[in-house]
Amino acid sequence: MTLLEIMRSASVIPVIAIDDPAHAVPLARALVAGGIRVLEVTLRTEHGLGAIRAMSEVEGAIVGVGTLTSPEEFVASRDAGAVFGVSPGLTPALIAAAKSSGLPLLPGVMTPSEVMAAREAGFRQVKLFPAMQAGGVGMLNAIRGPLSDMTFCPTGGITIETAPAFLACKNVACVGGSWLTPKDAIEAGDWAHITALAKAAAALRAS
């Protein structure tokens, strides 16, 4: 699958931070059971790569890596099973690492100049981050005119209540959100609750 195909197959991409390796597989299964197949596992904890490796074995899961901030992380993430990467921003070193590793990258952008820089580097899909602080829906609608060939995954501060307005933007393929994986539910092993949250998120696309 191309990066755009992955994005379009997801209404919401959950942003996942794993604190306990034992939670990785049941969490992935709970999300997939609710119709959320594209999973972004961040490298914010020491268990990120291990979680990617474990979740990649879950049937139906499309696992990517988030919070890529250094070139060395690209190959390690790809080898762990990640099929796409997400970064909070974009630098020349990250551009080079994405090209050399072959890992499709969804880079973070916040301003029109950053969108244009990403476009010049060959990217057509980007993450508006942090979405709410960057201007939200208004920003996305305004930038569509001059940069109509760019597709966005806004992430940062989005909720189940605000997600529909973002998904209604013609240049948005999906949104990123952490509300699908509440820490208390994960720690309690309440996988049924997470599946319910996933079902509600998956239904956003249909609505």
Side-chain angles (χ1 to χ4, degrees):
M1 297 177 74
T2 66
L3 181 57
L4 184 58
E5 288 171 338
I6 290 172
M7 292 170 66
R8 285 179 172 166
S9 70
S11 52
V12 181
I13 299 178
V15 180
I16 302 167
I18 295 294
D19 293 311
D20 184 343
H23 293 151
V25 169
L27 175 59
R29 287 175 176 163
L31 290 165
V32 171
I36 296 297
R37 299 174 55 223
V38 181
L39 315 177
E40 177 192 336
V41 181
T42 73
L43 297 182
R44 298 176 191 172
T45 74
E46 61 181 311
H47 305 298
L49 289 177
I52 290 169
R53 191 172 292 108
M55 288 180 167
S56 296
E57 299 297 324
V58 174
E59 185 176 357
I62 301 170
V63 183
V65 57
T67 324
L68 287 169
T69 58
S70 68
E72 297 78 15
E73 294 167 339
F74 282 73
V75 172
S77 299
R78 181 201 65 195
D79 292 348
V83 296
F84 69 95
V86 185
S87 64
L90 189 62
T91 67
L94 295 186
I95 293 170
K99 291 179 179 178
S100 64
S101 69
L103 187 68
L105 177 65
L106 183 68
V109 296
M110 189 177 185
T111 67
S113 292
E114 290 177 0
V115 177
M116 292 175 68
R119 188 175 182 272
E120 285 186 10
F123 297 93
R124 292 296 181 272
Q125 294 85 42
V126 292
K127 175 178 78 166
L128 181 67
F129 176 81
M132 299 305 292
Q133 291 85 345
V137 169
M139 166 68 161
L140 289 161
N141 288 332
I143 207 169
R144 180 170 171 260
L147 295 166
S148 60
D149 60 343
M150 299 297 290
T151 303
F152 293 83
C153 172
T155 305
I158 298 174
T159 66
I160 185 71
E161 291 81 17
T162 59
F166 282 94
L167 291 170
C169 296
K170 296 185 182 301
N171 53 354
V172 168
C174 58
V175 302
S178 57
W179 80 85
L180 291 99
T181 55
K183 189 172 183 178
D184 56 349
I186 293 174
E187 291 178 347
D190 191 352
W191 310 123
H193 178 56
I194 288 175
T195 294
L197 293 174
K199 286 181 178 178
L204 293 175
R205 177 67 74 200
S207 63

